[in-house]
Amino acid sequence: MFALFAASLLAVSAQASAACRCFPGDACWPSENVWTQFNQSIDGRLVKTVPLGTPCHAPNYDAAKCTILRDGWTVPEEHYESSSSVMAPFFANGTCDPFHPVSKPCTLGNYAVYAVNVTTPAHISKAVQFATKHDIRIVVRNTGHDYSGRSTGAGALGIWTHYLKDLEIHDYKDKHYSGKAITMGAGVQGFEAYEAAEKANVQIVGGECPTVGLAGGYSQGGGHSALSSRYGLGADQVLQWQVVDGQGNFITATRDNEYSDLYWALSGGGGGTYGVVTSMTSKAHPGTPVSGLNMTFTNAKISQDTFYEAIARFHTRLPALVDAGAMSIWFYTNTSFAISPLTGPNIPEDDLLKLIQPFVSDLKELGITPTVYSKQFPSYLSQFNGMQQEIGVGEAQYGGWLIPRSVVQNNNKGLTAAYRQITEDGATFIGVGLNVSRQVTGDVSNSVFPGWRDALIATTITTPWKWDNDKEMLANQRKMTDSYMAKLTALSPNSGAYMNEVNLVLDLEHRYSVLTSLSQADFRQPNFQKFFFGKNYPALQKIKAKYDSKDIFYARTNVGSEAWEERKDGRLCRVGQSSRTAEHARDL
């Protein structure tokens, strides 16, 4: 009887191992000696995770260090020099931060167990091969900016590309493009590329947050920019990818070579899915003067109806602004409105003021006198440094939706009403107004979500994050999903969301009932295949299967992720068999 029981247990354990990635504590987990040998094979680049917030918890509490961490926790610089820390509070999971009691244990929780601090493609190849051999989960990370939790994972080996910093601006020519280009390692951040571009008198399409890595999830996920109404999305700029695939092979993918399908997939089809990008070559556009404009007004001395009518008027003026090549960032609550900034690449200041004048006239008609500031800058970097807002991290919950131009043209009243209901309820609206249609991007071939081409407003809705109030955060997140996003989806059901700024459906109640893990509840955007990828999804699935035949790359809400689930202990398992097998093992 005992022999039969033991044999049955071993058989079930083997099935569980086959269905799930190997997890710390499993018999399949590599020994310390095996990890040591692996470290030697990668030139000593293996980093064992010590959570960034460790000095804030017993028995390693250090009051001075903890104060510094707490003061800087909401700025990106605090996290991106770490091999494990992430900026999204949901996925940091409250296991080790400066805002929970000193007595609360500091655990790995949802952080990767190890990371490879790669400095050459060979390090990536060996990491992929090691993880494949031992069936260990892989996560790809650069800065930890990802707000969908794709750069972390319990029981994972991180491939940390942050120090792939090679950068060169050079001439490039193929049958689709001739001009200057920038080749940058996967660790190059926006500010580094912008500074190099400034010296070479060119402009680089990159994010409004200067610390985001440009070759990672930014460009691979689409990537909007203050320059997008002039040149298109980040993915529209890409000329060449260098990547390590799921077998550890080094590949250079261009639009026309034998790996053109991989080039297409990487250019907009999501990061951390088809392989690990080591470098990217993108267009570098001629440098021009860039103008900028800020505008603010409040609801003081006007009715709420008038305040929201002013916002509706701004919607109607957006097409003319973005069609002229300008890009607007604006935000508002139920009491104040701010454009910060309106960016005009190669648009003289006087012309930018003329473009905004119809809206100023609208405000005058409504009895509103805005505060307006404008300036002409000699370059994009000077305008960026002078007018872009600093962007904090770990401060909010987010939801996003792309609003097509047709909604503004045909149902502006309904759109304004939805935004009003959301902001009157206490949320903040952040908008990106742009035009990245084919008329702007020209000759491009990529897997960018088709809804971008018709989008006028990339909407982000935020609610404040409170580190010590789980119940309120749960309520806010449910409201974000069930109410706020539902209102916008109803207005444009055939649109979708920007995969880099999305709403996540999370079961916080159960997630926090287990200290060290995310739950296996429905944390994915409903119908993410449709709303992040659209008609491109079937083709992207085939390309992933080709270059990642062993399905080693997984990232939440990315192509192929529906085949996997993250259980309450953080274990990554295949959908279906994994849960039944594990439950059977526990019963035995």
Side-chain angles (χ1 to χ4, degrees), residues 246-315:
Q247 289 75 50
N249 301 313
F250 303 103
I251 292 173
T252 297
T254 69
R255 181 172 172 178
D256 297 312
N257 72 1
E258 60 184 309
Y259 302 109
S260 59
D261 55 349
L262 182 58
Y263 164 88
W264 181 84
L266 288 168
S267 305
T273 300
Y274 317 97
V276 183
V277 166
T278 62
S279 76
M280 175 183 77
T281 299
S282 292
K283 298 172 185 175
H285 302 279
T288 68
V290 178
S291 58
L293 180 144
N294 289 342
M295 175 187 290
T296 60
F297 61 86
T298 73
N299 66 347
K301 300 181 180 180
I302 59 173
S303 69
Q304 286 300 90
D305 288 345
T306 300
F307 178 74
Y308 284 101
E309 172 61 21
I311 291 170
R313 299 279 186 98
F314 182 66
H315 297 162

Side-chain angles (χ1 to χ4, degrees), residues 474-527:
L474 171 62
N476 283 349
Q477 180 60 42
R478 286 176 172 167
K479 187 182 292 185
M480 183 75 75
T481 301
D482 299 335
S483 177
Y484 299 165
M485 290 301 105
K487 295 180 191 303
L488 299 183
T489 303
L491 287 166
S492 51
N494 294 320
S495 186
Y498 177 30
M499 70 177 72
N500 290 346
E501 292 174 354
V502 300
N503 180 44
L504 295 173
V505 185
L506 293 158
D507 188 343
L508 288 179
E509 216 163 33
H510 291 101
R511 185 176 77 102
Y512 277 101
S513 69
V514 181
L515 176 66
T516 60
S517 68
L518 289 163
S519 80
Q520 64 181 46
D522 182 14
F523 57 82
R524 301 179 179 89
Q525 166 79 31
N527 299 319

Side-chain angles (χ1 to χ4, degrees), residues 332 334 397-403 414-415 417-430 459-464 472-492 503-504 525:
Y332 58 87
N334 64 333
Q397 301 184 72
Y398 297 90
W401 201 252
L402 298 175
I403 303 298
L415 179 64
Y419 285 153
R420 178 172 182 170
Q421 291 171 12
I422 292 168
T423 52
E424 291 279 18
D425 196 53
T428 297
F429 167 95
I430 304 172
T459 302
T460 299
I461 303 297
T462 76
T463 56
E472 184 178 342
M473 294 304 93
L474 171 62
N476 283 349
Q477 180 60 42
R478 286 176 172 167
K479 187 182 292 185
M480 183 75 75
T481 301
D482 299 335
S483 177
Y484 299 165
M485 290 301 105
K487 295 180 191 303
L488 299 183
T489 303
L491 287 166
S492 51
N503 180 44
L504 295 173
Q525 166 79 31

Side-chain angles (χ1 to χ4, degrees), residues 548-560:
D548 184 24
S549 59
K550 296 182 180 179
D551 207 11
I552 194 69
F553 297 117
Y554 162 84
R556 297 176 186 91
T557 66
N558 270 14
V559 172

